[in-house]
Amino acid sequence: MNNNNGGTTQNFYKLSIQVSLNGLSFCVLDTLDNSILASENIFFNKQYTPYEVQKELQSVFKKNNVTKDRFSEIIVIHRNTLFSLVPKSLFSADELPNYLKFNAKILANDHLAYDEIDSYEMVNVYVPFVNINNYIYDLFGEFEFKHSGTVMVESLLNGHTHAKEPVCYVHVAAHQMDITVISDKKLLLYNSFEFVTKEDFIYYLLFTMEQLKLDTEQVQLKLFGAIDEEDDIYKLCYDYVKLVSIFVPSSSLQYPVTDLGSASIDFTVLNAL
């Protein structure tokens, strides 16, 4: 960041923000003692427009005095289903619309961006929320932005063991599920679906497993995010998949937290730090 002024300890704060049409979250990290100073997760009761999300973000910042702080680093995470993972060997920055046109509805004036996942020779092409980026830039100056899928894939691949049997990780958020399937440190699939009911959820999960020819008696299903063992979605999964468990990412245990539980902090917001 080039917008640091003065020498207060606030220059050691990192701000991570995630925005989607279904909700938003943010997290402030004090890099001096490696602790979470503030965090909030907000779920919308309906799908918002990008403009409504910006208004909500302004309200959250005002309530938490976020705009008054100075940060050494700011990361914005765009969470939506408008993305496509491309092997690096096939990627060209001149072809961004072509990577998205088959699996996402994009408009001619949509701004497209991409994240390079260098360690795994992949590129994530996606549509960011341009109005959010402009708002953050007006507030803070330079910042970094990524797609939530980039953070999800990198974090899970980096933390995955060398188990040869496929593991299906499903991150649950407000009306959106992210499915990441890894086998022997290799990504077999990453996809994201919007859902309303638990039946929608199980449909997308079983459809994905069928496409990958995963045996529901053998594959490990690890659920995390806004879910626990008492959740109806968890119980329904257990009816169809033999090996179901709640996944506790190591990142949720990494930071001491002041006055809040780290489990309440969104996975991608935490891992983007």
Side-chain angles (χ1 to χ4, degrees), residues 68-80:
K68 294 179 182 177
D69 291 336
R70 292 188 295 275
F71 300 94
S72 62
E73 188 177 346
I74 296 167
I75 303 168
V76 175
I77 305 154
H78 297 271
R79 182 179 175 83
N80 58 36

Side-chain angles (χ1 to χ4, degrees), residues 168-172 177-180 201 205 221-224:
C168 180
Y169 297 93
V170 183
H171 181 263
V172 186
M177 58 190 291
D178 297 292
I179 303 178
T180 309
F201 184 98
L205 175 62
L221 173 60
K222 298 190 175 187
L223 305 171
F224 64 113

Side-chain angles (χ1 to χ4, degrees), residues 14-177:
K14 275 177 147 183
L15 175 63
S16 175
I17 308 157
Q18 179 171 257
V19 290
S20 80
L21 301 184
N22 296 311
L24 60 88
S25 51
F26 83 95
C27 183
V28 177
L29 173 70
D30 185 342
T31 59
L32 286 180
D33 59 9
N34 217 36
S35 65
I36 304 298
L37 297 177
S39 174
E40 188 162 359
N41 239 341
I42 297 171
F43 303 112
F44 306 147
N45 55 14
K46 65 180 181 70
Q47 192 169 83
Y48 279 14
T49 65
Y51 177 73
E52 288 173 323
V53 175
Q54 181 182 332
K55 296 287 283 184
E56 191 72 34
L57 187 59
Q58 286 173 310
S59 175
V60 168
F61 279 180
K62 185 176 181 181
K63 185 178 86 172
N64 291 276
N65 296 317
V66 169
T67 54
K68 294 179 182 177
D69 291 336
R70 292 188 295 275
F71 300 94
S72 62
E73 188 177 346
I74 296 167
I75 303 168
V76 175
I77 305 154
H78 297 271
R79 182 179 175 83
N80 58 36
T81 58
L82 305 175
F83 70 90
S84 181
L85 287 175
V86 181
K88 199 164 188 179
S89 58
L90 303 177
F91 176 76
S92 167
D94 298 325
E95 300 290 335
L96 299 186
N98 290 326
Y99 299 127
L100 285 171
K101 66 183 182 181
F102 295 113
N103 60 353
K105 291 182 181 178
I106 58 171
L107 303 175
N109 60 345
D110 275 340
H111 175 76
L112 305 182
Y114 63 91
D115 301 330
E116 295 187 38
I117 310 176
D118 292 327
S119 303
Y120 299 98
E121 295 293 310
M122 287 183 286
V123 179
N124 189 4
V125 182
Y126 62 98
V127 181
F129 299 110
V130 174
N131 65 307
I132 300 294
N133 278 354
N134 290 340
Y135 168 62
I136 297 297
Y137 183 81
D138 288 343
L139 275 182
F140 301 110
E142 290 183 20
F143 67 98
E144 181 182 2
F145 67 93
K146 296 180 179 182
H147 189 265
S148 61
T150 303
V151 182
M152 185 77 65
V153 166
E154 277 191 308
S155 301
L156 290 175
L157 279 169
N158 289 343
H160 187 75
T161 62
H162 287 276
K164 296 200 173 177
E165 292 301 319
V167 177
C168 180
Y169 297 93
V170 183
H171 181 263
V172 186
H175 302 301
Q176 190 171 333
M177 58 190 291

